[in-house]
Each structure stands twice: as C-alpha cells, then as structure tokens.
Amino acid sequence: MESIENLLGYKGKNVVITGSASGMSKTATELLISLGANVYAIDRSDIDLPVYKAIQGDLANKDTIDEAISKLPEKIDALFVCHGMALVKGKEKLIQLVNFIGQRYLVETLLPRITDGGSVSFISSSGGYGWESKMSLIGEILACPTFEDQAKWVDEHIEIFSDGYSSDAYCFSKQCINAYIKSKVRSQEFIGRKIRINAVAPSYTTSGLTKDFNLAVSQDGSEESGEQLMYDLFLKSWDGRPGKPEEMGYPLVIVGSNLCSYLSGQVIYIDFGLTGESDYKTACNLSESEK
C-alpha cells in the first residue's frame, strides 16, 4: 500500500493558493507544505508560513492580480482559490470583485499554465446553495467575457442585493462560483486537458470572517445579536458547533489531489448534513405535490 503522501501526490509539485494568511486557506497551506508541495501563496495580508514563495496582492483589482500572476511559475499543478470576504453592508460590488469576478479572472488567466491532469479548487460556501434558482441572473454575468464587463454588469444590477438576506451579495457571489464550476467542467479548455474543477462549500465556520458575518446579520448592530442569529440558523436544530478551519481546509487539499483524480464538477457541502436535509425535504415536498 502506498503512503498517503504518495497517494495525494503533492511532493515536488507547484501549487498556488490564495488567502493563505488566515482561516481555512491557512490550514490548507500548512497541510500542502507538510506534503512537500512547492507552495506559492497569495494574500493581501502578511503570510507567516514557510511557503516556497509568498506574494502580497489585492485580488479584487485586475492590475494587482496581474502583478501577482507575474510572480507565479510557468507550470502549475494545482490551483486553490480560497480568498474571500464576508457579507458587509455597503460593500456589495467589492464582494463580487473579491468572491467571484477576481477569482474567475485569476483562474482563466492561469489556466494555460496548469498542467494537463491538474486541478482547480475553490472555497465556495453553503451560502451558494440553491444557485439554480438564480440562474437567470447568474447566466448573465457568466456570459460577460471580461473582468471589466462583469464589473459593469454588477454596477447595472446593484439593486438585486437590496431585498434582504436571501439574495445578499455574499450568497450571490458564491452561487456564481457554484454555477461557474458546473458551466466549465465539460468545456473544452478543462475537459480537453483533463483539468478538474471543484469546490468545497463550508457552512458556518469559525474564521477571520466570523465577526463580519455576525455584524452583517445582527438585528441591533451588536456582534452578540448576530452570533445568536447564526447559531439559531445553523446550529440550534442539531445542538451543533461551528466548523473548524481545518475541517474545511484539509478536505480542500484532498479534493485537489491525485486521490480525487476522477472527481470534477462537484460542489461538496461540508455542513454536517444541512444541505442534505434540505435536499430531502425538497424531494418530499415535490413528491407530495405530484400526488
């Protein structure tokens, strides 16, 4: 039996990962280092890990994304797109730039450097669940070919984020990621070179974004009120706890590895069954309506 390190296949490979300064991405970066990968890490904040190369850059801006790309190797075996921002009121456009538009631009610009049989893996979110119901809007932004076109689309549709939490900017950005994965899995630029594209989709997880999420959903402006609401939404029904960063970062590393060499086009919800239960209830309701 081969060792787990050999099965994962990262030793000596060039790996690019964003968001490595904190949270889920930091735990994934630590694991990749321990597995012998040559890790090129990008973040706007300082990276305090012994990576092969640390690159500082604002990944919401096309010019600074290009600058970061210029410091990356010509051959990349695995790309992990993990940076992101939480739901912050008044930052609707920035959320799209950080969580989707910039990520898409990074992937599509780096795609020619990714080796045949390589992988692209995102951190999405359970907030992207149900993306199918927003496909009329998502399809429009997916059809915009350039960074500038997508940013202009957001400017022209900023009002869609004004009708409450169910259609907030954060959820929409993650729904776009999920739909993007589905749209690209059998596109020639991926399937023609057997490049896999997947995501993990965490539920409520303790991270550097927790405070922002709590404040954004708070009904009285306090962090405590938002924390209680998040508990009621995600944890109360099963007396649960928030996820830990490594419980999201470690599976991400596995998804992008040789161990999952036949896995593509998947958004894997890591939520202790939250979306699974929702799927079941939806199926039951559909069955009842058909009687």
Side-chain angles (χ1 to χ4, degrees), residues 9-115:
Y10 285 115
K11 187 173 183 179
K13 298 294 181 66
N14 290 339
V15 173
V16 174
I17 183 167
T18 66
S20 296
S22 64
M24 306 172 204
S25 181
K26 185 172 185 178
T27 66
T29 302
E30 290 171 327
L31 181 55
L32 288 164
I33 293 169
S34 74
L35 292 168
N38 301 323
V39 178
Y40 294 76
I42 310 172
D43 203 298
R44 63 180 299 174
S45 302
D46 291 336
I47 299 167
D48 62 356
L49 298 174
V51 296
Y52 189 82
K53 188 172 187 177
I55 301 166
Q56 197 163 19
D58 177 4
L59 296 175
N61 181 287
K62 183 180 177 183
D63 290 339
T64 51
I65 294 173
D66 285 335
E67 184 178 350
I69 287 172
S70 71
K71 300 173 183 177
L72 296 175
E74 288 303 311
K75 175 188 173 185
I76 298 169
D77 297 290
L79 171 62
F80 295 94
V81 188
C82 308
H83 65 282
M85 65 178 291
L87 173 61
V88 180
K89 295 176 182 178
K91 301 289 186 180
E92 289 81 7
K93 182 176 181 180
L94 182 60
I95 291 169
Q96 305 314 308
L97 292 171
V98 173
N99 289 2
F100 176 61
I101 297 172
Q103 294 193 9
R104 177 181 177 181
Y105 179 73
L106 180 70
V107 169
E108 293 179 356
T109 305
L110 287 178
L111 194 59
R113 301 193 197 184
I114 297 176
T115 57

Side-chain angles (χ1 to χ4, degrees), residues 7-271:
L7 288 171
L8 291 169
Y10 285 115
K11 187 173 183 179
K13 298 294 181 66
N14 290 339
V15 173
V16 174
I17 183 167
T18 66
S20 296
S22 64
M24 306 172 204
S25 181
K26 185 172 185 178
T27 66
T29 302
E30 290 171 327
L31 181 55
L32 288 164
I33 293 169
S34 74
L35 292 168
N38 301 323
V39 178
Y40 294 76
I42 310 172
D43 203 298
R44 63 180 299 174
S45 302
D46 291 336
I47 299 167
D48 62 356
L49 298 174
V51 296
Y52 189 82
K53 188 172 187 177
I55 301 166
Q56 197 163 19
D58 177 4
L59 296 175
N61 181 287
K62 183 180 177 183
D63 290 339
T64 51
I65 294 173
D66 285 335
E67 184 178 350
I69 287 172
S70 71
K71 300 173 183 177
L72 296 175
E74 288 303 311
K75 175 188 173 185
I76 298 169
D77 297 290
L79 171 62
F80 295 94
V81 188
C82 308
H83 65 282
M85 65 178 291
L87 173 61
V88 180
K89 295 176 182 178
K91 301 289 186 180
E92 289 81 7
K93 182 176 181 180
L94 182 60
I95 291 169
Q96 305 314 308
L97 292 171
V98 173
N99 289 2
F100 176 61
I101 297 172
Q103 294 193 9
R104 177 181 177 181
Y105 179 73
L106 180 70
V107 169
E108 293 179 356
T109 305
L110 287 178
L111 194 59
R113 301 193 197 184
I114 297 176
T115 57
D116 292 359
S119 65
V120 175
S121 307
F122 293 87
I123 291 182
S124 181
S125 168
S126 61
Y129 182 74
W131 60 269
E132 299 90 342
S133 67
K134 299 288 179 64
M135 197 58 211
S136 60
L137 285 171
I138 294 170
E140 291 183 17
I141 194 169
L142 290 184
C144 297
T146 69
F147 186 105
E148 293 82 2
D149 290 334
Q150 293 157 49
K152 181 181 178 183
W153 185 93
V154 173
D155 285 333
E156 294 172 348
H157 295 80
I158 203 71
E159 74 282 353
I160 68 174
F161 307 122
S162 64
D163 64 344
Y165 182 76
S166 64
S167 60
D168 70 65
Y170 177 82
C171 289
F172 185 76
S173 69
K174 296 301 185 176
Q175 289 169 336
C176 287
I177 287 291
N178 293 357
Y180 179 75
I181 289 167
K182 304 296 184 179
S183 74
K184 289 297 182 181
V185 61
R186 286 301 179 101
S187 64
Q188 191 57 34
E189 63 266 35
F190 282 87
I191 196 69
R193 297 175 51 216
K194 307 302 181 284
I195 295 173
R196 299 180 295 110
I197 179 169
N198 296 290
V200 297
S203 184
Y204 186 38
T205 301
T206 302
S207 73
L209 302 182
T210 300
K211 181 177 179 179
D212 286 339
F213 276 120
N214 290 342
L215 289 173
V217 302
S218 173
Q219 296 179 339
D220 63 9
S222 71
E223 187 178 351
E224 293 74 20
S225 170
E227 184 178 10
Q228 183 63 50
L229 179 58
M230 295 295 273
Y231 173 80
D232 291 343
L233 282 171
F234 295 103
L235 306 175
K236 185 177 180 179
S237 65
W238 61 288
D239 190 26
R241 60 165 175 81
K244 301 175 184 178
E246 62 269 25
E247 290 176 314
M248 313 300 159
Y250 293 173
L252 177 73
V253 171
I254 293 173
V255 165
S257 75
N258 290 347
L259 200 62
C260 292
S261 56
Y262 209 69
L263 183 74
S264 195
Q266 303 305 307
V267 177
I268 301 171
Y269 292 94
I270 308 178
D271 57 8

Side-chain angles (χ1 to χ4, degrees), residues 203 238 269-279:
S203 184
W238 61 288
Y269 292 94
I270 308 178
D271 57 8
F272 223 104
L274 178 69
T275 51
E277 179 186 41
S278 180
D279 287 340

